Amino acid sequence: KAGVTQTPRYLIKTRGQQVTLSCSPISGHRSVSWYQQTPGQGLQFLFEYFSETQRNKGNFPGRFSGRQFSNSRSEMNVSTLELGDSALYLCASSLDRASSPLHFGNGTRLTVT
Amino acid sequence: DQQVKQNSPSLSVQEGRISILNCDYTNSMFDYFLWYKKYPAEGPTFLISISSIKDKNEDGRFTVFLNKSAKHLSLHIVPSQPGDSAVYFCATYPLSGAGSYQLTFGKGTKLSVIP
């Protein structure tokens, strides 16, 4: 079974630009979450989607948004990029069932210059 | 305020010995706990989990212990192997209500297994 696939793996953008990251979950997984990893803050929750609806949202500004499609694939968007948005962005998927672990992709490394 | 704490940033262990990684949490709403292993430039890999109705779960060389009264969990790796060298994250979420499926992570412990 294929794992969680994230594209692209690396991205370099300039301050003020916007970026879209893509995630394909494990087949059969309908819950998709996004996390940001930085050296200072560690791994932080961005948002979680199920059946095309955002169920949970972390404490990030409105510049961070996401969506989920009917095939469970998800995208996240960051507008008006800031230098502090440089991070590893991780997508995770899980079965929508109690005590289901989240399985992560290898992430997209975003560098904002 | 950190809700999940891994107080040891790093740990070195000889190959073949036991590695013990510790994690403390503050929120009693957390009732599902997971350990992940992470190599540089890769996403976290799920290792083992435990729900709050249990106090121990084993999977091969990995055992997780949960002490609910102390709000403490630990991961034991026996025997430790050089390939276990990675950063280990403790994570948790409540099984129901607000925040379910929303993982709260510790800052991680870097394990080095010395051949």
Side-chain angles (χ1 to χ4, degrees):
Chain A
K1 199 180 232 187
V4 177
T5 305
Q6 291 188 246
T7 55
R9 283 298 309 274
Y10 302 93
L11 209 45
I12 300 175
K13 290 285 187 179
T14 305
R15 256 185 315 177
Q17 288 186 313
Q18 69 95 27
V19 67
T20 300
L21 312 180
S22 181
C23 172
S24 293
I26 292 171
S27 178
H29 286 193
R30 296 168 64 193
S31 170
V32 176
S33 308
W34 289 88
Y35 290 80
Q36 181 197 64
Q37 185 182 26
T38 58
Q41 298 299 318
L43 281 148
Q44 292 191 290
F45 171 76
L46 280 156
F47 25 66
E48 186 248 347
Y49 287 88
F50 175 76
S51 288
E52 303 176 66
T53 300
Q54 188 181 86
R55 280 201 300 199
N56 288 301
K57 189 176 191 311
N59 190 25
F60 278 82
R63 299 185 297 106
F64 291 82
S65 63
R67 59 178 175 167
Q68 186 181 32
F69 302 96
S70 58
N71 61 359
S72 295
R73 195 176 67 83
S74 177
E75 288 181 347
M76 68 162 280
N77 185 77
V78 188
S79 62
T80 320
L81 284 165
E82 300 177 0
L83 295 178
D85 297 334
S86 295
L88 179 66
Y89 290 88
L90 292 158
C91 172
S93 73
S94 70
L95 294 167
D96 188 45
R97 182 186 303 165
S99 303
S100 292
L102 279 69
H103 297 274
F104 285 84
N106 282 329
T108 294
R109 170 71 63 185
L110 172 65
T111 302
V112 182
T113 61
Chain B
D1 181 35
Q2 270 187 273
Q3 297 190 73
V4 179
K5 291 182 182 177
Q6 293 178 255
N7 290 320
S8 299
S10 62
L11 175 68
S12 288
V13 171
Q14 288 285 338
E15 181 180 2
R17 306 293 290 267
I18 184 171
S19 295
I20 300 176
L21 298 102
N22 293 302
C23 178
D24 297 294
Y25 61 97
T26 57
N27 190 339
S28 56
M29 296 298 293
F30 293 143
D31 50 8
Y32 182 54
F33 304 89
L34 309 90
W35 284 95
Y36 286 87
K37 172 170 120 174
K38 189 178 184 299
Y39 296 116
E42 292 185 12
T45 300
F46 169 71
L47 279 174
I48 192 169
S49 63
I50 188 168
S51 68
S52 58
I53 61 172
K54 294 185 173 183
D55 54 20
K56 177 183 173 181
N57 190 25
E58 282 183 84
D59 184 0
R61 296 187 297 115
F62 302 92
T63 303
V64 56
F65 295 92
L66 175 63
N67 182 333
K68 280 176 56 182
S69 59
K71 293 192 177 69
H72 176 84
L73 66 155
S74 61
L75 174 68
H76 293 208
I77 306 173
V78 184
S80 301
Q81 299 173 354
D84 295 330
S85 297
V87 178
Y88 288 78
F89 290 94
C90 165
T92 178
Y93 68 73
L95 284 172
S96 61
S100 58
Y101 301 99
Q102 175 181 327
L103 284 171
T104 300
F105 282 88
K107 296 285 191 187
T109 296
K110 184 175 182 180
L111 174 65
S112 300
V113 179
I114 304 160

